[in-house]
Amino acid sequence: MSFRYPWICIDSADSRAEKYLKKLLGKTDIEDALKRLDKLTQEEVRMATAQLLTLTHGVDCNVKDIGDTVRVVHEGA
């Protein structure tokens, strides 16, 4: 694979020079957008996990309350 401009031809073995030229010529927009998308996706996963943990904690508290109620009813019978 080669990275070509009318005045330059760079083999993929010389990837540092390729990256440098891309930056000089402003060809990093897609790469930057993909990095941002990756960060946003990771943040979304963290937020969903936190929300799930909150819901799970609420269910746990409700189950404990029901267990206490059953225990009181059972002891009173």
Side-chain angles (χ1 to χ4, degrees):
M1 180 175 145
S2 293
F3 179 75
R4 296 182 188 270
Y5 282 98
W7 64 94
I8 296 174
C9 177
I10 299 174
D11 292 332
S12 55
D14 197 359
S15 63
R16 281 192 215 151
E18 182 178 343
K19 288 179 184 178
Y20 179 73
L21 285 174
K22 282 183 179 181
K23 285 188 179 190
L24 278 178
L25 299 170
K27 300 294 181 184
T28 61
D29 293 341
I30 293 173
E31 292 169 0
D32 293 343
L34 289 173
K35 286 178 185 177
R36 178 143 171 75
L37 179 61
D38 185 49
K39 287 180 183 178
L40 289 171
T41 302
Q42 290 175 13
E43 179 66 21
E44 184 178 8
V45 168
R46 285 191 288 270
M47 295 297 288
T49 302
Q51 190 173 22
L52 182 59
L53 182 60
T54 300
L55 291 170
T56 303
H57 181 71
V59 169
D60 183 49
C61 289
N62 289 339
V63 169
K64 286 179 183 176
D65 289 343
I66 291 170
D68 291 343
T69 303
V70 168
R71 195 172 297 118
V72 167
V73 169
H74 179 69
E75 289 172 359

